[in-house]
Amino acid sequence: MKRPSEAIRLIVRAGALLAGLALAVPPASGEEGGRLPVEQLEAFGEIFDLVKKHYIQPVDDRELLVHAIRGMVDGLDPHSAYLTVEDHEEMKESASGEFGGLGIEITAEDGLIRIITPLDDSPAYEAGLLPGDLVTRVDGESVRDLTADEAAKRIRGLPGTPVTLTIVREGVDELLEFTIVRDIVEISSVKSDLLEPGFARIRISSFQTHTGARLVEAIRRMEETNDGPLAGAVLDLRNNPGGILSGAVAVADAFLDNGLIVYTQGRDPDSREEYYAKPSDFLGGVPIVALVNGGSASAAEIVAGALQDRRRAVIAGTRTFGKGSVQTIFTLEDGSALKLTTSRYYTPSGHSIQARGIVPDIELPPLRIEAADGRATIHENNLPGHLEGDDGEARADARAMPVSLAVEDFPLFQAINLLKGLALQRPSS
């Protein structure tokens, strides 16, 4: 019988050493299993050696160890993961705000991959992928039991190359296939426009390092366009998968004068971290309606929860995703990394976001409406050759029939109506 490989001896020796140390160190108060399981470590070494000797084809030691580490970490929760050097570099590239791929935020769920949301203006968004879609195959290969990071790696590729996703969609009986061309996804995290004089929509699609500063710039531009302060704003956080905590804190801070925004709490009672607003509400206290849905996750839920608890905004829409855990990146000596769930987010009133999400103050389901006859209303100025009005109104193009906001985006339409009501109730200065 062959002697165990050097890798096996090192594993067993390290396990025995750690176990010996554990015997001398008492477990933390309230914790179970303070001593390392020597028998299981020895079993791991034996299994490693058996795989090396008897598996149908040769397997590299490092590859086996990576599988072992991933198995240990992936079993914790959907968001903890071991990142190889390549994975770590791709993650940092994605966080920079520009990356190659389809532009979808995904999570592992019940052995499949669920789309949390497609990013605004991304190839996935343009192709028609929807929040809640389940990805079953990538280029014909099953994604069952892959982690979100492993699935993302399959979906990414060189810009200009196609990838085919097989999708299960709620309410649709047959499988759907989308062949989408990968592209460089540039994330513009803040967009804004005046829906009506005095009433603005601020769309935040993700939270990056400079999102707070971009938000303040957008508010200033809209005030200039409006020739004065705004009367109210809709903060659109729908299908926002989250992002950087500091970006979420900066956005909430822009609408609050003071007080707690969010706090995190880990396993250690002393690990609580609190984030507070500084003086300066850049909207001057005017009403805000924040729109959310099931695609609003993580950092988007932090903002919605803070504005709701502090009574700074009315939250409208549907219950949010419920991703209220914090992941910390531990960079290892070889450049790989461990992404580990270390704490939970809590709203100012102490509610955990995890699995519960943010429940809106006003439920606004994503309804679609149309005129009774299924057509947009036609007015005199839509008719070819109509007479001009006394005010010199130009003749309308009969092909350019206006489409109501209620038809295009019913929740936004309702949010604007709600915002107008709140503005009317606000005391005049």
Side-chain angles (χ1 to χ4, degrees):
M1 182 175 179
K2 295 182 180 178
R3 297 177 63 188
S5 67
E6 181 63 23
I8 302 302
R9 290 200 299 272
L10 287 173
I11 292 169
V12 175
R13 189 183 308 161
L17 176 60
L18 290 172
L21 289 173
L23 290 173
V25 180
S29 176
E31 292 185 8
E32 298 179 357
R35 298 177 180 178
L36 289 174
V38 179
E39 295 83 2
Q40 281 80 3
L41 287 172
E42 290 176 346
F44 173 78
E46 291 178 17
I47 292 169
F48 190 103
D49 201 33
L50 287 169
V51 171
K52 287 285 296 178
K53 290 177 180 177
H54 301 294
Y55 187 61
I56 193 170
Q57 59 188 26
V59 186
D60 180 72
D61 286 355
R62 292 180 181 273
E63 183 180 349
L64 278 179
L65 289 173
V66 167
H67 290 328
I69 293 169
R70 280 185 167 156
M72 174 175 61
V73 178
D74 293 346
L76 299 174
D77 65 76
H79 307 293
S80 295
Y82 170 69
L83 307 175
T84 64
V85 175
E86 182 182 4
D87 295 335
H88 193 199
E89 290 300 319
E90 287 181 357
M91 186 202 69
K92 290 188 288 187
E93 182 181 328
S94 297
S96 69
E98 180 177 300
F99 56 94
L102 301 185
I104 51 175
E105 185 77 10
I106 59 176
T107 186
E109 182 177 303
D110 298 329
L112 298 176
I113 299 299
R114 184 177 293 278
I115 296 176
I116 299 176
T117 186
L119 301 177
D120 285 2
D121 304 323
S122 65
Y125 179 90
E126 297 295 339
L129 294 179
L130 299 177
D133 283 348
L134 283 172
V135 181
T136 61
R137 293 180 178 274
V138 176
D139 284 335
E141 294 186 16
S142 173
V143 298
R144 177 163 292 280
D145 297 328
L146 292 186
T147 67
D149 289 321
E150 289 169 338
K153 193 171 182 179
R154 284 195 188 180
I155 293 170
R156 292 192 190 111
L158 292 174
T161 60
V163 60
T164 299
L165 304 186
T166 304
I167 297 292
V168 173
R169 178 171 294 172
E170 185 176 358
V172 179
D173 294 334
E174 67 274 9
L175 292 175
L176 303 177
E177 283 200 350
F178 293 82
T179 298
I180 309 170
V181 177
R182 301 178 177 100
D183 199 356
I184 297 296
V185 179
E186 298 181 5
I187 304 174
S188 177
S189 61
V190 180
K191 296 180 180 179
S192 60
D193 57 335
L194 281 177
L195 296 174
E196 294 184 20
F199 296 98
R201 169 177 52 184
I202 303 169
R203 165 69 181 155
I204 300 181
S205 58
S206 64
F207 291 91
Q208 302 167 9
T209 304
H210 303 295
T211 299
R214 300 290 181 268
L215 169 66
V216 174
E217 293 171 2
I219 292 172
R220 296 295 180 242
R221 284 197 306 270
M222 286 187 295
E223 288 178 335
E224 291 178 5
T225 304
N226 192 57
D227 292 328
L230 299 171
V234 173
L235 179 63
D236 192 347
L237 299 174
R238 292 173 296 175
N239 300 327
N240 180 323
I244 299 173
L245 173 60
S246 61
V249 169
V251 167
D253 188 7
F255 302 126
L256 296 169
D257 278 325
N258 54 60
L260 184 63
I261 293 174
V262 66
Y263 70 90
T264 63
Q265 180 68 60
R267 185 172 67 181
D268 187 337
D270 296 327
S271 65
R272 175 166 168 153
E273 293 188 19
E274 300 177 340
Y275 300 84
Y276 287 86
K278 301 180 291 293
S280 64
D281 179 343
F282 288 95
L283 278 179
V286 302
I288 300 172
V289 174
L291 276 177
V292 297
N293 65 4
S296 307
S298 191
E301 296 174 288
I302 289 174
V303 173
L307 298 182
Q308 184 180 56
D309 280 6
R310 300 293 307 283
R311 298 185 181 278
R312 180 62 187 91
V314 174
I315 311 301
T318 56
R319 186 169 71 90
T320 62
F321 184 77
K323 198 273 185 182
S325 59
V326 183
Q327 283 69 48
T328 302
I329 305 296
F330 299 93
T331 301
L332 308 181
E333 290 184 4
D334 65 352
S336 63
L338 175 63
K339 182 172 69 171
L340 190 66
T341 299
T342 53
S343 55
R344 287 184 172 92
Y345 291 121
Y346 293 85
T347 68
S349 62
H351 293 299
S352 171
I353 295 170
Q354 179 61 28
R356 173 183 179 270
I358 301 298
V359 179
D361 302 306
I362 298 176
E363 187 80 13
L364 284 181
L367 300 176
R368 293 182 61 86
I369 68 168
E370 61 181 20
D373 59 1
R375 297 175 295 175
T377 304
I378 299 177
H379 299 280
E380 169 72 13
N381 62 0
N382 297 122
L383 299 177
H386 75 280
L387 296 175
E388 294 182 5
D390 291 338
D391 59 357
E393 173 205 9
R395 279 177 24 186
D397 185 341
R399 296 166 298 176
M401 293 170 58
V403 180
S404 169
L405 180 61
V407 175
E408 292 180 342
D409 191 337
F410 182 70
L412 179 59
F413 172 76
Q414 291 289 68
I416 285 293
N417 288 335
L418 175 59
L419 191 61
K420 290 178 180 178
L422 293 172
L424 287 174
Q425 293 178 6
R426 188 168 183 252
S428 57
S429 55

